[in-house]
Amino acid sequence: MTTTPPPLPPLPSPPPPPVPRLEPLGVPGPSQGAFLVHFTGRPPGTTPNRDLAADIAALTPDQRLHRILWDGGINGTNPFRTGPPTVSFSEVSLAHLHWLIHARFFPSWGLVYDRQAVYAAGGGPVWHARPEQYSAALAAELNPWVVRLDTTAGAARSEWMHEQEWRVQTDRYPATAEAGLIGVLVGHAAWSPFGWLEVRTGRLVDESGAPADGTRGVYEETRGDWYPPPGGSPTRFLSLPDSSFLHPLPPAGPPLTQ
């Protein structure tokens, strides 16, 4: 009589590969920036982002900024290429940011991030590649990291080096201090991130607002008030035409009118 040997125990799973430890980036030079800006609008005449949801595309840059803070993050898009979604930023010195806003007419609305934090989250600068290099990058499925550089006469011009673009390959990048958010770039000092909310109080009232006694319709009372975004009210920075310095504004409060 033969006996069947007991089954062998399963082999242990191999340990996961170690996660590389990133050293800090070096000190930025005069033409670089220690921070990155995600602009919430594009300069006049620029092709619209066709990958934006219709309700977001209909918003003005200041409304988009407000929406991002209340949603808690920036949605990744894929506007001009195939491949996975990304979130884009511009690496800027104070002088270059001033030039983008006041000479290239970028809307002065956006979110300001620490460059090191975005790098630690997987972000990095894009590659501006000539047509033959661009085709090779697409064949290697490097779509999220390459931008076509082509000034060939008669061809569709593509020249975006002035944006000094960084990207993070993600569906969503948080608009939080933990993700490196330093503050927000605003176009005027009166802008506030506060929003009007109707909050349930748990108190039962009738149609007149008096405490419910059961003789008329009963409703749960709601009261409206201005509230900051869930992640708090970030520092606001203002760019003025006569200075490349970013001017921090006093803490925001509710808008002057509802």
Side-chain angles (χ1 to χ4, degrees):
M1 180 178 178
T2 59
T3 58
T4 303
L8 295 174
L11 295 175
S13 301
V19 177
R21 184 174 66 87
L22 298 176
E23 297 286 348
L25 295 170
V27 177
S31 64
Q32 296 177 286
F35 57 88
L36 310 176
V37 176
H38 173 84
F39 289 99
T40 55
R42 300 290 295 160
T46 307
T47 302
N49 183 342
R50 65 189 180 205
D51 200 39
L52 280 179
D55 60 328
I56 297 177
L59 300 176
T60 59
D62 58 314
Q63 291 171 337
R64 290 184 189 179
L65 176 58
H66 194 275
R67 172 82 167 262
I68 288 170
L69 293 175
W70 277 87
D71 284 352
I74 308 166
N75 292 331
T77 60
N78 185 355
F80 307 117
R81 54 181 166 73
T82 58
T86 61
V87 172
S88 296
F89 308 84
S90 286
E91 178 186 352
V92 288
S93 65
L94 289 175
H96 193 74
L97 177 62
H98 185 269
W99 178 79
L100 286 176
I101 294 171
H102 301 288
R104 295 302 293 261
F105 307 112
F106 275 64
S108 187
W109 300 95
L111 297 96
V112 182
Y113 282 88
D114 175 69
R115 185 179 69 151
Q116 181 66 45
V118 176
Y119 176 65
V126 300
W127 176 24
H128 295 270
R130 297 172 68 99
E132 60 275 15
Q133 300 163 335
Y134 180 76
S135 297
L138 295 187
E141 299 184 351
L142 295 175
N143 313 45
W145 298 102
V146 64
V147 176
R148 184 171 64 89
L149 172 61
D150 189 359
T151 62
T152 304
R157 187 180 183 92
S158 179
E159 183 189 6
W160 302 99
M161 291 182 293
H162 60 282
E163 294 192 351
Q164 300 183 172
E165 186 179 1
W166 277 50
R167 290 176 182 165
V168 178
Q169 187 175 315
T170 181
D171 293 327
R172 184 175 176 83
Y173 194 82
T176 62
E178 292 75 17
L181 182 65
I182 298 172
V184 293
L185 181 66
V186 299
H188 57 77
W191 182 86
S192 170
F194 279 58
W196 181 265
L197 294 181
E198 296 284 343
V199 179
R200 294 179 177 180
T201 67
R203 181 169 171 260
L204 297 181
V205 296
D206 60 25
E207 296 95 327
S208 68
D213 59 8
T215 60
R216 292 186 287 183
V218 177
Y219 304 91
E220 185 177 4
E221 182 184 48
T222 61
R223 287 184 179 174
D225 203 351
W226 291 101
Y227 292 89
S233 182
T235 301
R236 300 172 302 151
F237 296 100
L238 185 66
S239 177
L240 299 176
D242 58 353
S243 170
S244 62
F245 182 69
L246 273 184
H247 298 267
L249 297 171
L256 297 179
T257 59
Q258 180 174 334

